[in-house]
Structures are given as C-alpha cells and as structure tokens.
Amino acid sequence: PTPIVNEAGIPMGGFGTDQDGQYIEIKFPTFGQAQVQQMLQQMHVQQQQQQLTRAFAAATIGANPAPEAAKLATPLSAAPSVPDEKAVPDLAGAQNISIYDAESFAEAHMEDIVFDRKAFFWKIDNWDKLERRATSDVFKCGGFIWRVLLRPFGSSHKGVLSLFLECLGTSDSTEDWRCTCRFVLAIANPHDPTHNTHGSAYHCFHRSNPNWGFTRFMKLADLRTAPAPGVRPYIEDGACTIGAYLHVVKDASS
C-alpha cells in the first residue's frame, strides 16, 4: 500500500533494515493530530471507493453483463482493499491528547504503579521535652507498619534537625521483607499549616535498612525564627505539626 506522508511529504512510517540488516518496522515519534486526521481521511476515501466499486459490480452482475463488460466493472484506479470499518482502529481517540497536557497524557499512557496512599499527622505540643530520639505513633499503609522518626537535636550533625520515615515491616514479618515507597516529610506551624517546609524521597525499605530520610532536614536555629515579618515560625509556643505522605509502590514481582 501507498505509505502515508505528512504535510511536508515526509513518510510517517514504513519498513526497512537496521545496521545489521535485520528487517524492522520504522515508526516516527512525531505523530500529531494533523497526521492522524490525514490518515483517517485517506481511510475514509478508500472505503468510499471500495463501496462504490462493490455497488457498481453488484448492479452490473444483476444485469447479466457480458464477460468483457464484467471485466470493466472494477475501475483501473480502484484503491486496494482495506479492512471493514469495524476493524479500523480509533486512532483519533487514542492520539487526541496533547503532549503538553502532561497529567492527562501520562494517565492515558502510563500505568499507575501506586498500590496504596496515606497521609499521617503528628502533632507535637512539648518540643522542649522531647528525647534525643523521638518516634510518632505507628500507622499502616500498603500492608506495612510505619512511623516517623525524629531527632530534634540532630543525629550525626549537630545544630540540625534530622527527620526520617521508618518501616517496621508487616504484622507477621517473620521472614525478610521489602517495600518501595515514595514519601514526603514536612514540618508546619501548628496554627498556620500553610507555612511549612518539606523534603521528598524515594526508597526501597527492607529489614536491614528500615528507615530513610534527612539527616540535615533544617537548622535548629531556623525552627523558632520567623523567616520574614508577619510569618510565623515553624515551632510556636513549643508546638508544631509533622506530616508524612506515603505512596507505596506496587511490588514488581507481582
């Protein structure tokens, strides 16, 4: 069949060979809406030509034409046969999302790999009374048990706040386990949650490496200091709120 070309006369697809002489199908990535419409128009014209050819042949056969006349029933310029209309893929419906509509395009062409989601909030009212290693209540997400691990006076670095997400496995973790999670940890003013700072990470948690996060989340001096006039500090009257947002990713083995 005649190859389909774009408005510049450049073929949009075809067949050829690679550098090793292997027979391959060649597809071009730039396949926009104008090219799709052109394909559909060509298919439509071919279908109309085919229908006219069949109707003309049927009318001629009904009149018992002579053998020579029957040969003329099909025009010399008749288009090659194409699949019935039901077999033609709905290319317009599959390609009519702009590549600049990032969210819709990704949703249409990428599998959602998130298995479970969770938002957890830890309200702290007595920051000055925290131990050097403090943990939140536990919560569940994706079949695993989690908690936030806080070192309010830093871990390996002095003068900074350390903040981690910790996975405790499952309720029956008698064997080795692992869980891949994308997460965000944030600290916000208890009265104005729009004033916050955060860090995001992606990690595969397992028994020998159960926590991941930020050893230098922020300077301790910045926790109680207002960054600008009229803006509240992150810790006010000894209180703040820590938020944890989890996206547990599907297990690739399943």
Side-chain angles (χ1 to χ4, degrees), residues 10-26:
I10 301 174
M12 295 187 300
F15 296 89
T17 56
D18 60 13
Q19 59 182 1
D20 298 324
Q22 298 294 322
Y23 187 66
I24 58 173
E25 181 180 1
I26 301 173

Side-chain angles (χ1 to χ4, degrees), residues 5 23 26-27 30 51 79-80 104 108 114-116 121 136 147 150 153 161-162 166 185 189 202 227 241 248:
V5 299
Y23 187 66
I26 301 173
K27 294 182 179 179
T30 53
Q51 292 173 357
S104 298
V114 176
F115 172 67
D116 195 11
F121 302 100
S136 70
R147 66 183 180 184
L150 169 66
F153 308 105
L161 166 70
S162 300
E166 185 172 29
L185 298 178
N189 179 279
Y202 191 98
T241 301
V248 174

Side-chain angles (χ1 to χ4, degrees), residues 14-249:
F15 296 89
T17 56
D18 60 13
Q19 59 182 1
D20 298 324
Q22 298 294 322
Y23 187 66
I24 58 173
E25 181 180 1
I26 301 173
K27 294 182 179 179
F28 292 86
T30 53
F31 199 70
Q33 183 69 17
Q35 286 78 14
V36 173
Q37 293 297 329
Q38 185 178 7
M39 285 184 62
L40 295 176
Q41 291 174 2
Q42 290 185 1
M43 289 180 181
H44 183 64
V45 170
Q46 290 178 347
Q47 290 171 358
Q48 286 184 331
Q49 290 178 343
Q50 185 182 26
Q51 292 173 357
L52 290 174
T53 300
R54 290 176 178 174
F56 181 74
T60 306
I61 294 174
N64 296 320
E68 293 299 328
K71 293 181 181 180
L72 300 176
T74 302
L76 294 177
S77 61
S81 61
V82 296
D84 293 337
E85 185 176 355
K86 293 182 180 179
V88 177
D90 184 11
L91 295 178
Q95 300 287 341
N96 62 356
I97 302 176
S98 169
I99 61 172
Y100 296 109
D101 186 356
E103 183 175 353
S104 298
F105 195 89
E107 183 178 354
H109 300 289
M110 298 177 68
E111 179 186 0
D112 184 5
I113 63 173
V114 176
F115 172 67
D116 195 11
R117 296 171 169 83
K118 180 72 174 183
F120 172 80
F121 302 100
W122 180 15
K123 295 182 179 180
I124 298 176
D125 297 320
N126 52 353
W127 183 275
D128 294 328
K129 296 182 180 180
L130 291 174
E131 300 291 337
R132 298 192 63 85
R133 186 180 187 276
T135 57
S136 70
D137 294 336
V138 298
F139 58 94
K140 290 185 177 182
C141 181
F144 291 84
I145 301 174
W146 306 83
R147 66 183 180 184
V148 177
L149 171 60
L150 169 66
R151 291 185 177 272
F153 308 105
S155 53
S156 57
H157 299 83
K158 295 183 179 180
V160 295
L161 166 70
S162 300
L163 191 60
F164 307 91
L165 177 66
E166 185 172 29
C167 183
L168 305 178
T170 61
S171 57
D172 56 348
S173 295
T174 56
E175 299 180 357
D176 193 18
W177 54 267
R178 61 183 56 247
C179 175
T180 303
C181 180
R182 179 176 60 188
F183 64 94
V184 176
L185 298 178
I187 293 183
N189 179 279
H191 309 294
D192 182 9
T194 63
H195 179 52
N196 60 78
T197 183
H198 68 275
S200 60
Y202 191 98
H203 183 64
C204 180
F205 296 84
H206 49 89
R207 183 185 295 275
S208 59
N209 191 2
N211 60 66
W212 196 257
F214 314 94
T215 56
R216 289 183 283 187
F217 186 81
M218 68 179 304
K219 294 181 179 180
L220 294 177
D222 296 337
L223 284 172
R224 302 174 185 269
T225 304
V231 179
R232 288 176 159 176
Y234 298 111
I235 296 180
E236 187 174 3
D237 298 327
C240 70
T241 301
I242 296 178
Y245 308 84
L246 284 66
H247 282 183
V248 174
V249 177

